[in-house]
Amino acid sequence: HPLEGDGTLINVYYYLWKKKVNTLSSGLNVKIPPTVVYEHNFPKGWYYWCDRKMEIERKVGKEIDTKAINKDFSKKPRGAMWSELDVVASYMSRVEDPETGEEHAVVEYFDKDALHDFLTKRARRDQGILQRFVPPNGKQNLTIQAVWSPHVTLVERRQN
């Protein structure tokens, strides 16, 4: 199943974006940060929230250009309290431990220079997601983690 696995599930962005056939609108109205999904070392899709349409939109193929990603993700976040922020993006992927062979989730944080290097110099980008950092509206940020199986669903809200 395309949503099975542990760690970073790249297909979830497709399902959040996917249009309902009879309404031509997105199935779920969930705001997401600009997110580029990588698969087989290439960007597969660029998903983002469109305020005008109030839904998730997607760019694919030639619309996903390294220069465009770098330009968009390197923008300074709005808001005075975040003016000195160095982090512009994060990359979440699954990496195999060479000693044990087990996979584990890895999160990398990038400033503008590190993002540029990731996009232009990194030889291998495993399956994962690159997300632009979006500062919270207040003093804290939060994320929602969902774990599901055929027998149980667990949803947790984490806040710093």
Side-chain angles (χ1 to χ4, degrees):
H1 190 274
L3 291 179
E4 283 185 22
D6 188 16
T8 306
L9 301 174
I10 62 171
N11 291 322
V12 73
Y13 293 94
Y14 172 78
Y15 288 103
L16 288 172
W17 163 81
K18 191 174 179 180
K19 309 280 188 231
K20 291 182 181 175
V21 177
N22 57 350
T23 65
L24 298 177
S25 68
S26 179
L28 295 172
N29 289 332
V30 178
K31 288 187 176 184
I32 62 168
T35 302
V36 177
V37 174
Y38 281 88
E39 194 171 48
H40 306 296
N41 207 31
F42 291 101
K44 179 181 178 181
W46 183 345
Y47 300 90
Y48 60 97
W49 176 257
C50 178
D51 283 327
R52 187 175 53 79
K53 294 182 179 179
M54 299 294 291
E55 66 183 17
I56 294 172
E57 298 227 318
R58 178 177 80 156
K59 297 179 184 181
V60 292
K62 293 180 182 179
E63 295 177 302
I64 309 173
D65 175 75
T66 300
K67 288 181 182 178
I69 295 169
N70 194 32
K71 181 180 177 183
D72 187 70
F73 281 44
S74 294
K75 289 179 187 173
K76 275 272 193 203
R78 288 178 287 206
M81 68 185 289
W82 297 99
S83 62
E84 299 300 318
L85 188 67
D86 289 334
V87 175
V88 295
S90 63
Y91 183 66
M92 292 157 267
S93 63
R94 294 174 58 181
V95 176
E96 184 177 305
D97 185 325
E99 294 179 14
T100 64
E102 293 182 15
E103 284 190 342
H104 59 277
V106 173
V107 180
E108 301 173 66
Y109 296 94
F110 302 130
D111 62 10
K112 287 182 181 184
D113 293 334
L115 175 63
H116 182 266
D117 289 347
F118 171 80
L119 293 169
T120 61
K121 297 178 183 175
R122 185 174 287 191
R124 181 179 168 103
R125 290 179 292 264
D126 295 310
Q127 177 175 304
I129 57 172
L130 177 69
Q131 286 190 322
R132 184 172 79 194
F133 178 78
V134 177
N137 291 332
K139 294 181 179 179
Q140 298 172 316
N141 214 342
L142 68 93
T143 188
I144 297 173
Q145 177 183 16
V147 178
W148 66 88
S149 75
H151 306 289
V152 67
T153 300
L154 173 65
V155 179
E156 291 182 321
R157 175 183 160 184
R158 297 181 181 217
Q159 183 172 317
N160 66 348

